[in-house]
Amino acid sequence: MKWKTLASIACATPLLYACGGGSDAPQAPVVRLCPASLDYTTTFTGGAGSGELVQLQLDTTKLTWQVTFVESPIPATTGTVSPTRAGTSQTGTLTMETGLPTQKLNQCAYQLNGATLDPTRPARIFVGEGVAGGTIPGKELQFGGVLGQGVVPDRTFPYYPFIGFSTLETNLANVVGTYNQIGYHEIPSQNYAPIVVDSKITINADGTWQECDNSGVNAGKCQQAGSNFTQSPDGSGAFVTSNFLGQGTPTLALGPLGKGYMIVGKLNGQNVPILIRTGTANATITTGIPPFADDESGISMLSPQTAIALNSVNGEYVGVDNAFDYRTTAVAGTQATLIDPFQPSQVALSRALNLDYTQSIAGLVTSTVVGASAGATPTGKFIFSGGVFGYLDQSNPTTPYYTIGSFVQ
């Protein structure tokens, strides 16, 4: 897409640029995009790209934050694989964001001081009505393996992508349906191999369910990929399935040992299911329990297989991608543009897409990168629910791209 086209899309969406001239006329009051204040009585429960079930609390008066890792595959101590940081919390102070184009946006975005492991890349949270997205504390991962197996190369994640909701659906009968699922996992003990999640999921009121995979080691199969969904005993409001099949082959296990946690946010009158896979590993040699590693972990989003009308999902969305970059996505008709909201004029950081609403699978909008040859097979998929979208692109199969974003305006 030429720069003029990018600029025209940007000027149509006030998050990206301040376009047009000024005026001396009285200005209408700014309509807030988020609550005027929050305290710890509001908890945003959700999932992280790390495969963690997380609860986030913000106090916008005292300017403090707290993150509780309810379930986690992330080791508490670098150089080990267990115990993980499940059941632990981190705290810090907040600074209101100033780097976005408008006051309206800045007053709903915060830096989580002390959450990042890279001072040049602040951890940020964007708050909306009933939803919070952005990043949570990162971690340095490394493990030497057991007898040469299960080695995790040293890598520092400055933070992890996160999306959470202040209200959850906790009655599985209200989640019954057939969904598209797209997401992204990694396997640390396989040199952080990227794993795409692309499937159809059907959920029943009794907790039984079926997953039909379009990719991964189970591509072409339809099966119940774990135990029945039940309420998670951790009290988070999530649903859990055990022995949850991954999309890759476990590094050191005869069968799946990870768990799946489904957090169903209630947003704008719709359910927004977020399904994380929480991998597991054990390096201790004990009687009857050999070392194991089924550490594939990550996040995916589900949306109903219901047709999406052209122009019904137009707007601006904000989130974080699997490259750990902040992204604003502007959707306008059959076009979408992803940019860095803190560097909106940097064309090299943008991604322009053409959208196709034909939907051979209801609820799945396909996309092609602008500039692709005529008639090229779409490499991208979008799903939407309740003002949240998931986007997966495989134009480069070796480095799949994934992001979740929530509606801003």
Side-chain angles (χ1 to χ4, degrees), residues 42-47 54 56 129-133 162-169 263-267 270-274 301 385-388 404 406:
T42 297
T43 298
F44 295 96
T45 302
V54 173
L56 166 71
E129 295 290 348
V131 62
F162 166 79
I163 185 166
F165 308 92
S166 60
T167 303
L168 302 184
E169 177 55 71
I263 305 102
V264 183
K266 296 179 69 171
L267 198 61
Q270 294 180 277
N271 288 336
V272 185
I274 301 296
M301 176 185 165
S385 185
V388 177
I404 294 177
S406 57

Side-chain angles (χ1 to χ4, degrees), residues 112-187:
L112 275 60
N113 303 317
T116 183
L117 298 183
D118 181 349
T120 68
R121 305 182 71 180
R124 297 178 169 106
I125 283 289
F126 305 89
V127 182
E129 295 290 348
V131 62
T135 56
I136 60 166
K139 191 68 178 178
E140 180 185 1
L141 304 184
Q142 183 274 325
F143 180 62
V146 176
L147 300 177
Q149 294 186 301
V151 174
V152 177
D154 194 344
R155 181 175 174 184
T156 297
F157 295 85
Y159 40 61
Y160 291 110
F162 166 79
I163 185 166
F165 308 92
S166 60
T167 303
L168 302 184
E169 177 55 71
T170 57
N171 184 349
L172 193 62
N174 296 329
V175 189
V176 168
T178 300
Y179 298 84
N180 295 309
Q181 178 190 205
I182 56 175
Y184 179 84
H185 295 171
E186 281 189 343
I187 307 179

Side-chain angles (χ1 to χ4, degrees), residues 40 56-60 62-67 91-100 105-116 118-127 133-137 159 326 342:
Y40 285 6
L56 166 71
Q57 294 164 297
L58 306 172
D59 191 316
T60 57
K62 297 179 180 178
L63 291 177
T64 60
W65 61 268
Q66 176 171 289
V67 166
T91 61
T93 60
L94 291 173
T95 299
M96 185 170 286
E97 185 55 65
T98 59
L100 293 168
L105 296 164
N106 284 321
Q107 67 186 3
C108 294
Y110 299 88
Q111 293 189 19
L112 275 60
N113 303 317
T116 183
D118 181 349
T120 68
R121 305 182 71 180
R124 297 178 169 106
I125 283 289
F126 305 89
V127 182
T135 56
I136 60 166
Y159 40 61
Y326 299 99
F342 299 96

Side-chain angles (χ1 to χ4, degrees), residues 16-272:
L16 311 185
Y17 291 91
C19 301
S23 171
D24 293 330
Q27 300 297 306
V30 174
V31 178
R32 289 189 63 93
L33 302 174
C34 62
S37 64
L38 287 168
D39 59 31
Y40 285 6
T41 61
T42 297
T43 298
F44 295 96
T45 302
S50 51
E52 293 176 286
L53 173 55
V54 173
Q55 292 182 323
L56 166 71
Q57 294 164 297
L58 306 172
D59 191 316
T60 57
T61 301
K62 297 179 180 178
L63 291 177
T64 60
W65 61 268
Q66 176 171 289
V67 166
T68 300
F69 306 101
V70 182
E71 307 288 352
S72 174
I74 303 300
T77 303
T78 302
T80 67
V81 295
S82 63
T84 72
R85 59 183 185 179
T88 69
S89 297
Q90 287 185 233
T91 61
T93 60
L94 291 173
T95 299
M96 185 170 286
E97 185 55 65
T98 59
L100 293 168
T102 68
Q103 176 192 1
K104 188 176 181 180
L105 296 164
N106 284 321
Q107 67 186 3
C108 294
Y110 299 88
Q111 293 189 19
L112 275 60
N113 303 317
T116 183
L117 298 183
D118 181 349
T120 68
R121 305 182 71 180
R124 297 178 169 106
I125 283 289
F126 305 89
V127 182
E129 295 290 348
V131 62
T135 56
I136 60 166
K139 191 68 178 178
E140 180 185 1
L141 304 184
Q142 183 274 325
F143 180 62
V146 176
L147 300 177
Q149 294 186 301
V151 174
V152 177
D154 194 344
R155 181 175 174 184
T156 297
F157 295 85
Y159 40 61
Y160 291 110
F162 166 79
I163 185 166
F165 308 92
S166 60
T167 303
L168 302 184
E169 177 55 71
T170 57
N171 184 349
L172 193 62
N174 296 329
V175 189
V176 168
T178 300
Y179 298 84
N180 295 309
Q181 178 190 205
I182 56 175
Y184 179 84
H185 295 171
E186 281 189 343
I187 307 179
S189 62
Q190 295 180 24
N191 199 28
Y192 301 98
I195 304 293
V196 163
V197 181
D198 181 359
S199 67
K200 178 182 77 172
I201 285 184
T202 301
I203 300 172
N204 304 310
D206 62 359
T208 59
W209 59 291
Q210 184 182 70
E211 178 172 310
C212 299
D213 287 310
N214 299 316
S215 62
V217 296
N218 298 305
K221 296 180 181 178
C222 290
Q223 59 191 317
Q224 182 162 325
S227 64
N228 290 358
F229 276 113
T230 59
Q231 273 288 329
S232 179
D234 55 35
S236 63
F239 302 98
V240 63
T241 176
S242 300
N243 302 115
F244 182 30
L245 284 171
Q247 301 295 316
T249 301
T251 300
L252 184 61
L254 296 179
L257 300 174
K259 292 186 177 182
Y261 293 95
M262 181 170 64
I263 305 102
V264 183
K266 296 179 69 171
L267 198 61
N268 299 316
Q270 294 180 277
N271 288 336
V272 185

